[in-house]
Each structure stands twice: as C-alpha cells, then as structure tokens.
Amino acid sequence: MKAKIIAPSLLSADFTNLKKQLLDLQNVGCKLFHCDVMDGYFVPNISFGPSIISQIHKSTTVTLDTHLMISNPDKYISNFSKAGSSFITVHYEACENILATIELIKNENVKVGISIKPDTPVSVLENIIDKVDLILIMSVHPGFGGQSFIPSSLNKIIEVKSLIEKNNLNTIIEVDGGINFENIKLVSDAGADIFVAGNTIFKNENIVEAYLSLLKLIS
Ligand code: DX5
Ligand code: ZN
C-alpha cells in the first residue's frame, strides 16, 4: 500500500504570513504542498505563478505539487519546473494534444499528473493512464477553495483505482476539493493516496492541529 499524504493547498493560506505557516507544517512532517495556479481563462479566478512557487521552493524543503488550472499549459511547463515543482499536473480539458503535453512534462524530469474536472468521465484516461505518474480527480469545480465536496467523486475514485489495477500500474490517485474531517475517511476508503486540503487546514485557527487531525483520520 502507498503511504497516504495530506497536501495542504496554499491557495487558502495567509499570504501575509506564508513562510511561517509553511515552516510550521514542514516541522511536523508535512511532505507535500499543493500549489494552485489559475489564469482567469481556464477557471474564473487568478492566483499565482512561477515566481511565487520559486520563492516557496527556496523557503522550505517540502516537495511542491503544482496544479495548473490554465489554458495552453505547454507554454509554461518549463517555467514551473524551473521554479521547483516536483509534480506538474495539467488538466485533460486544457490540452489540445495530451500526449505531447505529457512528453513535455516528462522531458523536464518531473512527475506528470493529469487532472479531470467533475463533469469529465474517467474513460478519457483509459489511453493515457499508463503514461503518467498521478491522476488528480477534482471533487469540486476548479477555481475556488472552500466549496463542498461533490459526492459522485467517490465513484470516480473507485473507477480510477480499478483502471489502475486492471492495467497493473502504480499510479497515484490525488483528490482535490472540499476535503474535510467528515469525508476524508470515505475518500481514503475509495482509494485515494493524496488528499488536498485548503480551507480545512488554513481556515482553522490551528493549522498544524488541523493537518495532524486529518492525517490521523487516514492513518
Ligand atoms: C480548487 C483548487 C483546490 C482548492 C482546494 O480549484 O484546485 O486545490 O484550493 O481547497 P478546499 O480544500 O478548500 O476545497
Ligand atoms: Zn488544486
């Protein structure tokens, strides 16, 4: 069994106090930070880009998981790799030639992730799942933190898990959106390996305690 990992989504962090928050999480063993990049076209929101990710990379030793919610991701993959991302995930829906995009990410020597939005069926992954390291299932419509988990995402996790097993693969399943203390165990039982959590961690008055409590629920 793969180790289960909580990836705090920095989108919900306090950016005036970002370094302290990140180091507090690093100091209790947090292994992955989820960086949500939004361009105002692919999703109706704008967040941050490679320069912020590069600063985060220089300030912490935690692995960076970059989730590109942008149109035309090919153009920026190298910038996000240079900034210090260890995982780069693009949206299936944003790619004109998904195989070419996968190759571009692989050529940067970083792990490749493909994400699907809530309305995109798992079947689109059938021909590409053996070429990637990670599948990111969006359990909310991408764009904003703090939304409610879409229950049908559980079935999608189960479907992806069975696709992975059918093909004898070791692909990581990451789930993103609306994860909280009540649903994380269900998401874990469905087969997820990485759990992105934004509001549940950063809107808690004690972010370290929230992180550790989430981890306990899946350990
Ligand atoms: C949404 C982002 C998520 C978001 C998760 O588009 O991809 O990573 O920050 O935030 P919560 O956990 O608050 O739903
Ligand atoms: Zn995300």
Side-chain angles (χ1 to χ4, degrees), residues 9 34 36 67 69 136 138 176 196:
S9 163
H34 185 82
D36 286 305
H67 176 193
M69 285 164 278
L136 172 55
M138 287 306 301
D176 184 5
V196 176

Side-chain angles (χ1 to χ4, degrees), residues 76-90:
Y76 297 99
I77 282 164
S78 157
N79 299 48
F80 284 102
S81 151
K82 286 195 187 86
S85 313
S86 293
F87 288 83
I88 295 182
T89 294
V90 293

Side-chain angles (χ1 to χ4, degrees), residues 100-118:
T101 304
I102 290 170
E103 276 313 303
L104 274 179
I105 302 176
K106 278 195 174 153
N107 287 340
E108 294 290 329
N109 281 318
V110 298
K111 303 271 186 217
V112 187
I114 299 295
S115 183
I116 52 171
K117 296 205 266 190

Side-chain angles (χ1 to χ4, degrees), residues 25 29 34-35 60 71 95 112 116 118 125-126 148 153 168 170 174 177 184 201 210:
L25 290 164
H34 185 82
C35 304
T60 79
S71 303
C95 297
V112 187
I116 52 171
L125 302 172
E126 275 165 16
S148 299
S153 313
N168 244 319
N170 204 24
E174 180 174 28
I184 193 164
I201 292 177

Side-chain angles (χ1 to χ4, degrees), residues 19 23 27 60 70 99 128 135-136 170 201-202 219:
K19 188 168 180 179
L23 291 178
N27 289 340
T60 79
I70 63 174
L99 291 175
I128 51 174
I135 299 295
L136 172 55
N170 204 24
I201 292 177
F202 289 106
S219 303

